[in-house]
Amino acid sequence: MFQGPLTESIIRRAIGRGLITIEIHNLRDYAKGTQRQVDDTPFGGGGGMVLKPEPIFEAVEAIKVRNPDEKTKVILLCPQGRRFDQEKAEELSGYERIILICGRYEGVDERVRMHLADEELSIGDFVITGGELAAMIVIDAMARLIPGVLGDPESPRKDSFSARVLGYPLYTRPADFRGMKVPDILLSGNHSEIERWRKEKALEATIRKRPDLMEKNEKGKDSQ
């Protein structure tokens, strides 16, 4: 599942330049028995299967042993976790190593949540097949914040949500497409006025589409 997203575009270049390293670990490699079983039925009954604690603990402990001095964060991707956002991506990009545990089936044994994971993250209030897709999103969001990954060092700072506002409207050639014209200000060459226009439009879009972001901005100001 990981091969496509991790071998294309920005992630591929970042890996090729040695700016980030991504390793995929198969839980079956850490499971015991001839069947290498990683899941089992839940105690107390109920439908579905639950990921067993042994292979997950074994995997995380083996990874940590290889580089014991690195600053490591162990994250369980699951519906119960805190909502992943740009602020969390910025925080996580400062870690030397992050271990992402991908939930599957009905979930994972509670002992993983209670005694192994440092934190739980969710990418939203909806159901997907497993934590692998969520892991790819987290990886992509963090990777672009690593210095040198993006060509323009200012790009992460200008991205939507970095300043808790949405992006401003973007236009490119042609200036007139089927009668739909680019705003005159963008063709004026007056960079200070263009910058002011962009800030105004970004603020308008945020107020109209995501007023919750504006509430966060106000709370942030109050706490300073």
Side-chain angles (χ1 to χ4, degrees):
M1 290 182 67
F2 289 91
Q3 291 308 306
L6 300 185
T7 56
E8 298 290 338
S9 188
I10 291 172
I11 299 293
R12 177 181 62 82
R13 292 194 296 271
I15 294 173
R17 293 165 59 192
L19 298 172
I20 62 174
T21 300
I22 300 174
E23 297 179 354
I24 311 300
H25 299 268
N26 189 339
L27 286 180
R28 291 192 184 279
D29 294 337
Y30 300 90
K32 295 178 173 60
T34 56
Q35 299 297 320
R36 297 288 179 179
Q37 186 176 350
V38 298
D39 61 339
D40 209 333
T41 55
F43 282 124
M49 303 292 279
V50 177
L51 284 175
K52 294 162 61 69
E54 302 103 310
I56 300 177
F57 271 80
E58 293 282 349
V60 171
E61 289 165 357
I63 295 168
K64 284 185 172 182
V65 164
R66 279 188 280 161
N67 299 97
D69 296 329
E70 285 188 353
K71 185 181 179 183
T72 303
K73 183 93 164 178
V74 180
I75 295 174
L76 173 62
L77 296 161
C78 66
Q80 298 180 30
R82 169 199 156 160
R83 180 75 63 86
F84 181 67
D85 55 20
Q86 188 67 20
E87 183 178 356
K88 175 56 67 172
E90 292 170 358
E91 175 195 326
L92 295 178
S93 67
Y95 280 82
E96 296 177 15
R97 178 173 57 189
I98 293 175
I99 299 175
L100 299 173
I101 302 173
C102 301
R104 268 266 169 176
Y105 313 118
E106 285 299 300
V108 303
D109 187 287
E110 186 69 12
R111 288 164 287 190
V112 173
R113 188 192 319 277
M114 297 296 294
H115 303 290
L116 185 63
D118 298 315
E119 186 174 356
E120 301 168 66
L121 285 181
S122 168
I123 60 169
D125 297 335
F126 50 87
V127 179
I128 56 178
T129 303
E132 294 86 357
L133 293 171
M136 295 178 210
I137 290 173
V138 172
I139 289 170
D140 190 275
M142 289 189 299
R144 59 189 293 110
L145 298 172
I146 303 296
V149 169
L150 298 181
D152 181 0
E154 290 295 302
S155 291
R157 185 181 65 81
K158 297 176 182 177
D159 282 344
S160 295
F161 303 113
S162 289
R164 288 180 177 164
V165 293
L166 300 180
Y168 50 76
L170 297 170
Y171 295 89
T172 188
R173 295 181 178 82
D176 186 339
F177 173 65
R178 296 181 180 178
M180 296 176 282
K181 298 181 179 180
V182 172
D184 292 337
I185 184 65
L186 298 178
L187 308 176
S188 67
N190 188 328
H191 297 292
S192 62
E193 286 299 308
I194 290 174
E195 185 66 19
R196 186 169 66 85
W197 179 88
R198 285 174 168 172
K199 288 180 179 179
E200 289 176 355
K201 292 301 179 182
L203 189 59
E204 288 174 7
T206 306
I207 293 172
R208 185 174 70 256
K209 300 177 180 180
R210 291 293 305 277
D212 57 302
L213 293 178
M214 299 305 301
E215 292 175 7
K216 287 183 180 179
N217 285 336
E218 291 303 319
K219 289 181 181 178
K221 291 177 183 178
D222 292 341
S223 64
Q224 292 176 359

